[in-house]
Amino acid sequence: MKSGIQKIIIDTDIGDDIDDAFALALAVHSPELELIGITTVFRNSEISAKIAKALLTSYGRGDIPVYAGIDIPLLPGFSDRDNDTFDEKGRLIPCQYDCDTMGNFIPEAEWGPDFIIAVFLKIPGRSH
């Protein structure tokens, strides 16, 4: 790793508003950061992973791996939106994205949390 460059993972719910897309663009274009992977969470994590992969590809960084995570909050009772527009798995109904186009961008097969754990276990000097 070059001096001064920080390796990062972005864990995001990209796709429901613009802030995460801006953060991804900033991270990809920041010379002081090395984006080693993206994980997606909350509603529609599979579609969010495809959106992240599509954005990375448009930036010429389709080599950065993207992993889908969990769709629902781990804590019971947490919700910040009207549940009438989501199915029992937390997926948006209907798909607000061109799902046919998003199908061209396939996330990694590994589950997002497993990727994060594997990265942290490889950090030199960490006690396991």
Side-chain angles (χ1 to χ4, degrees):
M1 181 170 82
K2 297 176 190 172
S3 178
I5 295 180
Q6 295 292 311
K7 291 184 178 192
I8 64 167
I9 296 170
I10 293 178
D11 188 48
T12 177
D13 65 348
I14 198 166
D16 61 348
D17 51 36
I18 197 68
D19 61 330
D20 296 278
F22 281 138
L24 178 58
L26 178 65
V28 167
H29 292 97
S30 296
E32 65 273 6
L33 299 176
E34 180 185 348
L35 183 54
I36 61 172
I38 297 172
T39 58
T40 58
V41 295
F42 209 39
R43 297 181 177 100
N44 297 311
S45 62
E46 187 76 25
I47 292 172
S48 294
K50 291 178 179 187
I51 292 168
K53 194 66 170 181
L55 285 172
L56 288 169
T57 300
S58 74
Y59 301 146
R61 293 303 314 271
D63 60 309
I64 297 172
V66 179
Y67 305 86
I70 193 166
D71 285 336
I72 57 174
L74 295 176
L75 299 176
F78 178 79
S79 178
D80 63 342
R81 302 212 176 130
D82 181 7
N83 289 332
D84 291 341
T85 58
F86 299 91
D87 71 11
E88 69 281 354
K89 292 186 178 179
R91 295 177 299 213
L92 203 57
I93 305 171
C95 181
Q96 65 183 359
Y97 307 102
D98 179 353
C99 292
D100 293 331
T101 301
M102 286 297 122
N104 296 329
F105 301 97
I106 307 300
E108 304 298 318
E110 187 178 1
W111 194 44
D114 290 338
F115 166 71
I116 293 171
I117 292 167
V119 167
F120 280 96
L121 290 176
K122 292 177 185 174
I123 295 173
R126 276 194 62 80
S127 58
H128 297 93

